[in-house]
Amino acid sequence: MKIVHFSDPHAGGAAEDWMAYFDKRWVGVFNYRFRRRFRHDLKLLEKAVDYILTVKPDAAVCTGDLTSTGQPGEFERTLDILEPLRKSGIPLIYMPGNHDCYVKRPKCVQAMKDAVRRLNGDEFNFDSLPRVRTVAGVDFLMMNTSRPSNLLCSWGFVSRQDERWVQSVCSQPKKRPRIMVTHYPMFEDHPILRMRHRLFGQKNILRLINAHTIDLALCGHVHKPYCRVDATGRGENCAGSVTRNGVISSIEYRPESDSFSFESIDLAGWKK
């Protein structure tokens, strides 16, 4: 079973309405104009789509932040690039990031919900999360941890309701590998230093990962990719930002050895 994991394209642009200057979007627009647009290249997302269409994995997973400020135009730019993948028949799993859930403006929330529905094959909508989706003999635990936060922070939260859901799912006998898909990393080595960017409420889920009740967590949010796994490949994989680093993760599960292996794909050096 092969999975291609990518994250954090961060399409951006100008403010799309005057109300953007009265909510958090002005922070993201300012950040994009003077910093992010010089660091992120959407052409690398196009290469990622070409790679996935060429290798035809059993599933493709995107762990969020399609946008910089959650505006409809930003979603459309990434959805247009991802459309060939959506139509390919390759199962696609997408969980929104904090930049996709940036503000509470109705049109921005609706754009995010439309992206969740479209990229997950119209199988469900955002309001039906969390849920388990079984693809190619793997149970994907899909849980949203992204919500609008204040101007200076990009916090994520595992709600008590979602924590109870995870505990309920994991209390059942494990018939196949379990992979959690969410935007935020479950592991945090520097919770004080990263206070403005961290996830809250994940301690019990971490215990399930460490006990191998959940085999693997796939995440983004942190733009530098990393793979924090044990000898069997169990733990957490962060894909980083595809448009900043030009890398995506190829993950293979081998039932005969009950193990996961990982390869970092350098899109700059990849050719069809």
Side-chain angles (χ1 to χ4, degrees), residues 39-255:
R39 298 182 178 185
H40 294 264
D41 183 359
L42 280 177
K43 290 182 180 179
L44 290 168
L45 180 61
E46 295 175 6
K47 291 199 73 170
V49 170
D50 287 342
Y51 175 85
I52 296 168
L53 294 176
T54 299
V55 302
K56 296 180 174 59
D58 297 288
V61 175
C62 176
T63 46
D65 278 357
L66 298 180
T67 71
S68 291
T69 63
Q71 297 185 103
E74 296 173 350
F75 276 109
E76 284 304 316
R77 279 190 283 282
T78 48
L79 288 171
D80 285 348
I81 295 172
L82 294 171
E83 185 67 6
L85 176 56
R86 191 180 76 86
K87 290 183 173 180
S88 69
I90 298 169
L92 177 58
I93 295 172
Y94 159 68
M95 283 287 93
N98 59 295
H99 284 266
D100 300 331
C101 302
Y102 210 56
V103 291
K104 297 179 181 179
R105 291 288 297 166
K107 71 175 186 179
C108 296
V109 173
Q110 189 58 52
M112 178 274 294
K113 290 184 175 183
D114 288 345
V116 170
R117 176 184 53 79
R118 287 171 61 182
L119 293 181
N120 288 287
D122 295 319
E123 289 192 7
F124 65 94
N125 58 50
F126 177 81
D127 295 321
S128 70
L129 293 171
R131 63 167 292 160
V132 177
R133 183 176 172 188
T134 302
V135 177
V138 171
D139 284 341
F140 290 91
L141 281 62
M142 302 171 62
M143 184 180 71
N144 176 54
T145 52
S146 301
R147 293 164 180 81
S149 61
N150 63 44
L151 287 176
L152 299 178
C153 296
S154 53
W155 290 325
F157 298 90
V158 177
S159 70
R160 291 184 179 180
Q161 180 179 351
D162 287 355
E163 181 187 348
R164 288 193 292 269
W165 173 81
V166 173
Q167 296 281 2
S168 176
V169 169
C170 292
S171 68
Q172 304 300 314
K174 189 166 65 171
K175 298 179 181 179
R176 54 188 72 88
R178 291 183 180 132
I179 297 179
M180 172 156 282
V181 181
T182 189
H183 179 64
Y184 286 84
M186 292 290 157
F187 290 92
E188 181 55 80
D189 293 326
H190 307 287
I192 303 300
L193 292 175
R194 286 184 47 80
M195 182 61 69
R196 294 192 303 112
H197 307 282
R198 62 163 297 189
L199 177 68
F200 293 89
Q202 84 278 35
K203 289 184 179 180
N204 287 329
I205 296 176
L206 266 176
R207 294 189 184 101
L208 294 171
I209 295 171
N210 288 327
H212 295 175
T213 308
I214 295 173
D215 296 282
L216 184 62
L218 301 182
C219 66
H221 191 56
V222 177
H223 287 182
K224 185 177 180 180
Y226 65 80
C227 188
R228 181 173 179 165
V229 297
D230 64 13
T232 67
R234 286 170 168 81
E236 182 170 76
N237 186 76
C238 176
S241 170
V242 58
T243 54
R244 181 169 183 179
N245 300 291
V247 296
I248 56 178
S249 299
S250 178
I251 304 166
E252 190 165 353
Y253 174 70
R254 296 182 174 87

